[in-house]
Amino acid sequence: MNPLALLGALAALIVAVAGLAVAHRLRPALPEGEPAPEPHSVLSTIGSGLLSGFVLLTGFLVATGWAARTTHVLPPVGLYAADVCAGAAVLLYPALAGLPFTARHVTAVAFFGALVGYTLTAAVQLRP
């Protein structure tokens, strides 16, 4: 196992769960008996777009980072910065979209955050 990628996974997991906890803490309390508001339907398309962009950018960086070992043509550093920003947006999206802070959602966000952190760290490590 790659220890640096595992640390990246742990860091991303912490960012995602902490974002969810902070958003829950800052969200105003609902009056007694009032149901939680439903997220706007547009929020689902935003999350899909963010995730698609992150996956495409990370896949590109993995492929070009691997190929750069033989071609010596490196992707620009700005693409790595853009990938880190896309990863951060993907990690914080559940908190900003109003996902409740329940054990089920925390578990899902934690596993998702670990996956994002691991792939992002592995993509950066492939740069020679």
Side-chain angles (χ1 to χ4, degrees), residues 8-9 12-13 51 54 91 109-121:
L13 181 150
L51 187 57
F54 172 74
L91 290 174
V109 166
F111 281 121
F112 179 71
L115 178 64
V116 168
Y118 191 90
T119 56
L120 182 59
T121 306

Side-chain angles (χ1 to χ4, degrees), residues 9-125:
L10 180 63
L13 181 150
I14 290 169
V15 166
V17 172
L20 197 61
V22 167
H24 176 74
R25 178 81 172 141
L26 296 177
R27 201 171 295 132
L30 292 173
E32 191 75 28
E34 185 176 322
E38 292 290 321
H40 196 275
S41 59
V42 172
L43 288 176
S44 64
T45 58
I46 292 172
S48 300
L50 284 173
L51 187 57
S52 296
F54 172 74
V55 167
L56 287 172
L57 189 55
T58 304
F60 174 76
L61 292 177
V62 166
T64 55
W66 187 263
R69 296 180 183 281
T70 57
T71 63
H72 304 293
V73 177
L74 298 174
V77 176
L79 286 180
Y80 289 95
D83 197 27
V84 169
C85 290
V90 166
L91 290 174
L92 295 176
Y93 176 76
L96 297 174
L99 197 67
F101 191 75
T102 62
R104 179 176 62 136
H105 291 109
V106 168
T107 303
V109 166
F111 281 121
F112 179 71
L115 178 64
V116 168
Y118 191 90
T119 56
L120 182 59
T121 306
V124 170
Q125 281 185 311

